[in-house]
Amino acid sequence: MSAEALLWRGGRDFEIVTVPLPDVGPGETLVRLTAATVCGSDRHTVSGRRPSPCPSVLGHEGVGEVVASEGGRTVAGDLLRPGHRVVFGVTRSCGHCAACRRGLSAKCATVTKVGHESFAGDWPLSGTYASHILLREGQAVSTVPAAIEDGAASTAGCAVATVMAVLERAGELTGRRVLVNGLGMLGLVAVAAARSRGAEVLAVDPAAGRRRLAESFAPVGGSEGASGAGGARPLATSAVVDDGVDVALEFSGTTAGVRACLDALEVGGSLVLAGSVAPAGTVEVDPEWVVRGWRTITGVHNYEPRHLQEAVAMLSRSGDTLPWDEALDGPVGALDLAAELTRRDVGRPRTVVRW
Ligand SMILES: [Zn+2]
Ligand SMILES: [Zn+2]
């Protein structure tokens, strides 16, 4: 038996390669991928905006079925067995360095990442643009119910879990005015999740199509059936931030977006930055304005294992009430994936890949 993978050789140079299935070591789990989804950061890697080891197998969102496991366990502690349907975390951590001991395993001193490792190293099948992926010890794994379709389930490992970490940082949302700036996949999930927690959400993106999509992700009454004040109202959307808010969640990663979020923060407000994952310049902050206004500015990058569990729980509760079909393009097969990754006119937030 062998695996196939799309090897990225730099720039627009890709090649489908066949590799022997790896030996499954202690704590490891071999998964046959049933779907992957294309996250925007992979497009940035291919276009040169994000540095990445090369050659490598890209792709860090995926869902699949366990083929073999040598004592691999879920975050909940359950042993993984062949046939289990799983999603998995993007980071692999050591569990004993200072960052891991502080509960910031995503910032482990020796962190390695799904879809971000050299093909020539000791983890060639690390990405999801392949028929199989090897999950290593120190990586979060969660089983995922059959009711969550492949495309939606696949987004758990990056988009949905990151949003769970962002919302944890944001704190209590019930009855609060929450700005979601940037309506890519993370922004859309944040709109749905914040409304389900009873927030009054303002969704902002310059693209009209994305604002319409956000409305679909915010059914009146709340996507998870919560009866919070916010979920009962139609979603407010805007091309620009034009109102004061208690909480701002920034996903655009632009300095203009960060500026707009800061300017919208009322007294006692919190800003959670999550989109600023590439150099984009600095934003001036007046410390007196922060101090006198009891304001909080914080950042979230990747997430902890519990957030993967929360992501699956959120998808379980709301997955089939959210219009995933409108957010997902594809599916594309292995032969069309290179073209997909170099495409300029990206429409929907995610493209589903089926090997
Ligand atoms: Zn991602
Ligand atoms: Zn560590």
Side-chain angles (χ1 to χ4, degrees):
M1 267 278 279
S2 55
E4 278 190 347
L6 183 72
L7 191 62
W8 175 60
R9 294 192 176 280
R12 303 166 75 91
D13 189 6
F14 291 89
E15 182 192 351
I16 293 177
V17 294
T18 303
V19 281
L21 282 182
D23 293 330
V24 180
E28 295 182 342
T29 300
L30 182 67
V31 171
R32 185 184 65 79
L33 291 157
T34 49
T37 30
V38 177
C39 170
S41 61
D42 285 326
R43 299 184 196 275
H44 294 332
T45 298
V46 171
S47 69
R49 280 178 56 194
R50 176 187 189 239
S52 190
C54 183
S56 66
V57 180
L58 302 174
H60 53 271
E61 288 184 341
V63 57
E65 217 173 73
V66 172
V67 175
S69 183
E70 288 295 327
R73 289 182 184 273
T74 66
V75 179
D78 300 322
L79 268 179
L80 289 165
R81 300 191 193 288
H84 279 163
R85 184 170 182 246
V86 294
V87 293
F88 37 85
V90 290
T91 57
R92 175 194 172 211
S93 54
C94 76
H96 49 74
C97 71
C100 283
R101 287 200 310 272
R102 280 170 56 209
L104 284 174
S105 71
K107 296 289 127 180
C108 171
T110 56
V111 73
T112 44
K113 291 189 176 190
V114 172
H116 215 48
E117 300 301 322
S118 168
F119 189 69
D122 71 347
W123 192 14
L125 283 181
S126 73
T128 59
Y129 300 154
S131 62
H132 295 72
I133 184 170
L134 183 68
L135 305 180
R136 312 287 301 270
E137 192 164 24
Q139 223 183 319
V141 184
S142 179
T143 52
V144 52
I148 307 173
E149 285 185 31
D150 268 350
S154 177
T155 66
C158 176
V160 186
T162 304
V163 169
M164 295 301 109
V166 166
L167 293 190
E168 184 181 281
R169 267 282 157 108
E172 178 60 50
L173 294 184
T174 308
R176 306 195 78 188
R177 290 163 300 165
V178 176
L179 162 64
V180 177
N181 193 58
L183 301 174
M185 197 69 251
L186 278 78
L188 293 174
V189 172
V191 165
R195 279 172 63 89
S196 77
R197 297 179 187 199
E200 185 186 324
V201 177
L202 169 64
V204 171
D205 195 291
R210 290 300 172 91
R211 296 198 297 276
R212 280 194 295 276
L213 199 47
E215 283 163 9
S216 309
F217 267 70
V220 174
S223 58
E224 294 182 29
S227 55
R233 295 177 201 170
L235 179 75
T237 64
S238 176
V240 292
V241 182
D242 54 6
D243 218 351
V245 295
D246 305 310
V247 174
L249 311 176
E250 212 300 307
F251 297 106
S252 78
T254 64
T255 52
V258 175
R259 179 79 266 157
C261 285
L262 283 168
D263 291 344
L265 274 195
E266 299 277 18
V267 167
S270 301
L271 165 59
V272 186
L273 300 170
S276 305
V277 290
T282 55
V283 177
E284 256 184 38
V285 177
D286 177 357
E288 188 191 356
W289 171 86
V290 175
V291 168
R292 290 188 184 277
W294 285 71
R295 294 179 176 92
T296 305
I297 303 168
T298 184
V300 167
H301 185 227
N302 298 142
Y303 57 86
E304 292 303 307
R306 66 180 177 279
H307 300 122
L308 182 70
Q309 279 183 302
E310 289 175 22
V312 173
M314 187 222 157
L315 290 170
S316 303
R317 288 193 302 271
S318 64
D320 54 359
T321 64
L322 296 178
W324 283 97
D325 288 352
E326 293 176 39
L328 302 172
D329 235 333
V332 299
L335 296 175
D336 296 319
L337 181 50
E340 174 63 34
L341 288 166
T342 52
R343 184 178 140 188
R344 285 178 190 274
D345 56 329
V346 179
R348 294 177 179 172
R350 286 289 188 273
T351 299
V352 177
V353 180
R354 284 199 191 278
W355 200 263

